[in-house]
Amino acid sequence: MRNEEPRPRAAVPYPSRLDAGFHWLLALAIAAGALLASQQAFSNTPTIRLFPTTVVEDLRQTGEVARDMETGLQEVIGKLDQQQQLYLESKCDGAENDSGCQRLARQVGATYLEMLTIMEERLPDMEHTVNNTRISLEKNLRSELGRKMTPWTLQETLIGNNVASSAPQSSPTLRGRSGMRLSERFRQYHQLVATSGSQGDQSLAVLASDIYLDMQETSLLIQRTRQEIARATLMEQLNQSFGIITPEMVEVVGGVKSILFGDEESRALVAGPPPGDIEQAYRSPLEQ
Amino acid sequence: MKTLNRAQPFVTFAGLVSIALMLGACASTKPTCDSPQSRDLDKAIGAVQSSLSNGCHAHFDRYYDDLLTIAEGDPKPENKRAFSEFLVWSSDRGLLSKRQAQDHYNRYFNVKFMSLRGDYNNCSHTCPNRNKVLLDMERELTDKERGLLRVSLDNQGYYRADELFQEVELVLEATCTACAARRQE
């Protein structure tokens, strides 16, 4: 029976130390390779640039302009509501020849003119910022989703990397006019976009599309409103001499209130998912 | 003895003729290509595989539809696998190309839409055909309802497909508006 003494530590032969060093280097190389591979895989996933800082800034600015307009109009619209209420309570509807009613109608008309003037002053700023946001988004949508993507890659972007996990966390978006204040809508848009780093590309594509279509609609609405204001102002100046409240006035005020301050009835209902708790683990080799 | 010898060629000829007629009769018998009778999916798949192997390959689409109907009678998540294996078998046997097999599977059992296959960019190809693309997707969603919901009980998968359809509709509307705005400039 051979009795071997343990080798002293210092006596480790040179090739063995080289081996240890080689293994360490190999491990390092493998780790680096894995890191590079994972970075490569990450870089292979499509990254879309839909919200550069200019768009975020445009959204913030639009929200501020909308808030200023609301603040300016809130008081006038409140006054207009009170005057209309008084007009109705005084049973002036149908008694237009009564001098008291005519005076009340002129007061309502003057407040209406005041509202139109405020809108006329504020709308150009609003139109400018909304158009800036719309044009920036338009450019990015065209380039990132329109030209750089095929329908298949667009679908893959929307669905994300993991089909199963993307289901519960999706739908972070607002769908167009959602019955809320205009400034609140832009504030939420800004908040969603500003914190978009934590969201996947799939949410961003939907969000950008939603905001863009909303901006498109808002832009058209502002354009039409501006065209109408000049006509409505002239009409009201003429009506002032007769002291009547036209149905058009009531309609315009109602429309402005709905756009600026939201409309509870138009709040969109969001459908919930159908019940289902079955975990789908199977993946077919044919699946794409 | 001489008479027998003289009759022998005739007997041989008659024998050969009858064998030839029998073989001919066998060769011209067309397979019936009936639908599978069993309500059990595995047995039905077996019957279909047998029919397909015996010259009924022209009826593939009808058989696939029959199998889906049978599976609807006993919906369960495992049905996905059964259909996948059947399609892989069909592809291996050369009844379907690999691409056809993928289409048949994904159209019914995957969240992704095969209608969105395309190699050209959205501005140039998808936008000019947007209505057709969306109509095709809508039809595919009906097939997914059958495959995911009614055959595999994959409610979550079907809900995601439905949501994806709505997202694609919205994103395409915005993207195509943006593409068209460029053309107007």
Side-chain angles (χ1 to χ4, degrees):
Chain A
M1 192 175 175
R2 283 177 66 187
N3 211 355
E4 283 187 3
E5 281 184 14
R7 284 180 181 171
R9 197 181 166 86
V12 174
Y14 177 73
S16 293
R17 265 200 275 174
L18 191 70
D19 266 4
F22 176 73
H23 283 134
W24 188 82
L25 275 174
L26 190 69
L28 193 70
I30 290 169
L35 189 69
L36 277 174
S38 68
Q39 278 181 340
Q40 182 74 25
F42 184 73
S43 66
N44 283 342
T45 57
T47 308
I48 48 174
R49 222 177 105 77
L50 288 168
F51 292 108
T53 45
T54 48
V55 177
V56 182
E57 183 53 28
D58 284 342
L59 277 172
R60 192 190 59 76
Q61 217 177 331
T62 313
E64 277 179 11
V65 173
R67 200 187 55 218
D68 288 350
M69 195 159 96
E70 280 165 16
T71 315
L73 283 174
Q74 201 158 17
E75 199 185 328
V76 184
I77 287 179
K79 198 166 136 190
L80 206 53
D81 277 345
Q82 281 178 353
Q83 286 172 335
Q84 275 179 331
Q85 187 72 18
L86 185 64
Y87 186 83
L88 288 173
E89 281 169 3
S90 308
K91 306 214 182 318
C92 288
D93 213 6
E96 284 84 11
N97 293 329
D98 183 84
S99 61
C101 288
Q102 279 182 355
R103 200 170 55 245
L104 272 178
R106 278 197 198 96
Q107 282 172 2
V108 174
T111 316
Y112 178 63
L113 270 176
E114 205 181 324
M115 184 193 88
L116 291 177
T117 312
I118 292 173
M119 285 185 80
E120 198 176 14
E121 280 169 10
R122 303 285 168 100
L123 274 179
D125 277 354
M126 188 77 196
E127 189 174 31
H128 181 70
T129 52
V130 164
N131 276 342
N132 278 354
T133 315
R134 182 180 61 83
I135 290 165
S136 307
L137 274 173
E138 189 173 272
K139 202 174 129 198
N140 291 327
L141 278 171
R142 188 167 55 233
S143 140
E144 298 293 314
L145 304 185
R147 292 210 183 122
K148 286 187 189 168
M149 285 193 186
T150 66
W152 188 259
T153 51
L154 176 68
Q155 170 169 239
E156 289 194 319
T157 304
L158 288 174
I159 211 161
N161 291 328
N162 190 341
V163 175
S165 71
S166 63
Q169 57 178 294
S170 58
S171 73
T173 54
L174 304 160
R175 298 263 182 223
R177 283 186 56 194
S178 43
M180 63 175 73
R181 278 170 175 264
L182 199 64
S183 61
E184 177 62 15
R185 202 157 93 218
F186 283 105
R187 195 191 64 75
Q188 289 200 5
Y189 279 158
H190 177 256
Q191 200 177 8
L192 279 168
V193 172
T195 56
S196 62
S198 59
Q199 296 173 19
D201 282 346
Q202 66 269 36
S203 310
L204 289 185
V206 176
L207 184 60
S209 304
D210 207 6
I211 298 177
Y212 171 65
L213 291 174
D214 196 21
M215 294 292 105
Q216 186 94 348
E217 200 185 323
T218 309
S219 185
L220 274 174
L221 209 62
I222 292 174
Q223 218 176 322
R224 279 189 206 145
T225 310
R226 286 191 68 187
Q227 286 166 2
E228 282 297 304
I229 281 175
R231 195 189 60 82
T233 308
L234 182 68
M235 286 300 290
E236 189 43 40
Q237 278 163 353
L238 285 171
N239 285 339
Q240 276 291 295
S241 50
F242 302 111
I244 49 165
I245 296 178
T246 60
E248 188 197 17
M249 260 168 70
V250 180
E251 204 178 308
V252 169
V253 174
V256 169
K257 276 162 72 178
S258 150
I259 293 166
L260 286 174
F261 305 118
D263 178 6
E264 284 299 318
E265 283 172 15
S266 69
R267 226 173 262 276
L269 291 172
V270 180
D277 54 356
I278 297 157
E279 204 59 44
Q280 299 301 317
Y282 177 66
R283 271 186 76 87
S284 162
L286 296 169
E287 204 162 302
Q288 291 189 317
Chain B
M1 193 69 184
K2 256 186 182 180
T3 320
L4 267 176
N5 281 342
R6 221 180 288 160
Q8 203 170 9
F10 292 110
V11 173
T12 314
F13 178 73
L16 282 172
V17 167
S18 57
I19 288 169
L21 281 171
M22 278 166 70
L23 284 173
C26 283
S28 64
T29 303
K30 283 183 182 169
T32 51
C33 299
D34 289 333
S35 292
Q37 296 304 307
S38 174
R39 295 291 99 186
D40 177 84
L41 184 63
D42 289 337
K43 284 180 187 159
I45 287 177
V48 167
Q49 284 175 328
S50 165
S51 301
L52 289 170
S53 306
N54 291 315
C56 293
H57 46 271
H59 298 265
F60 187 91
D61 286 341
R62 178 170 58 82
Y63 282 133
Y64 193 70
D65 189 60
D66 288 343
L67 290 176
L68 283 166
T69 308
I70 290 166
E72 279 179 73
D74 182 17
K76 53 189 175 199
E78 298 83 54
N79 286 344
K80 261 189 194 182
R81 181 192 295 272
F83 275 92
S84 169
E85 284 170 2
F86 169 67
L87 289 167
V88 170
W89 175 87
S90 306
S91 169
D92 290 345
R93 285 295 182 101
L95 300 168
L96 294 179
S97 67
K98 179 124 185 175
R99 179 133 183 173
Q100 282 173 319
Q102 283 173 344
D103 276 347
H104 272 81
Y105 181 81
N106 291 296
R107 186 173 179 86
Y108 288 88
F109 300 102
N110 194 359
V111 171
K112 289 184 194 171
F113 285 82
M114 293 296 104
S115 327
L116 287 176
R117 263 188 168 159
D119 299 324
Y120 299 105
N121 74 46
N122 289 315
C123 277
S124 68
H125 186 71
T126 320
C127 291
N129 305 301
R130 185 156 63 106
N131 288 341
K132 189 187 172 302
V133 169
L134 291 175
L135 192 67
D136 289 346
M137 280 182 80
E138 210 172 337
R139 284 185 187 138
E140 190 172 338
L141 188 64
T142 311
D143 289 341
K144 289 188 194 304
E145 186 186 352
R146 195 177 183 197
L148 289 169
L149 208 59
R150 299 213 301 265
V151 169
S152 321
L153 293 178
D154 184 0
N155 295 14
Q156 205 180 331
Y158 173 68
Y159 175 67
R160 183 69 190 104
D162 184 39
E163 196 182 51
L164 180 63
F165 172 62
Q166 290 172 38
E167 285 175 359
V168 168
E169 202 175 12
L170 175 82
V171 173
L172 277 185
E173 189 186 344
T175 306
C176 294
T177 309
C179 294
R182 177 66 177 175
R183 278 201 296 274
Q184 284 162 8
E185 278 170 17

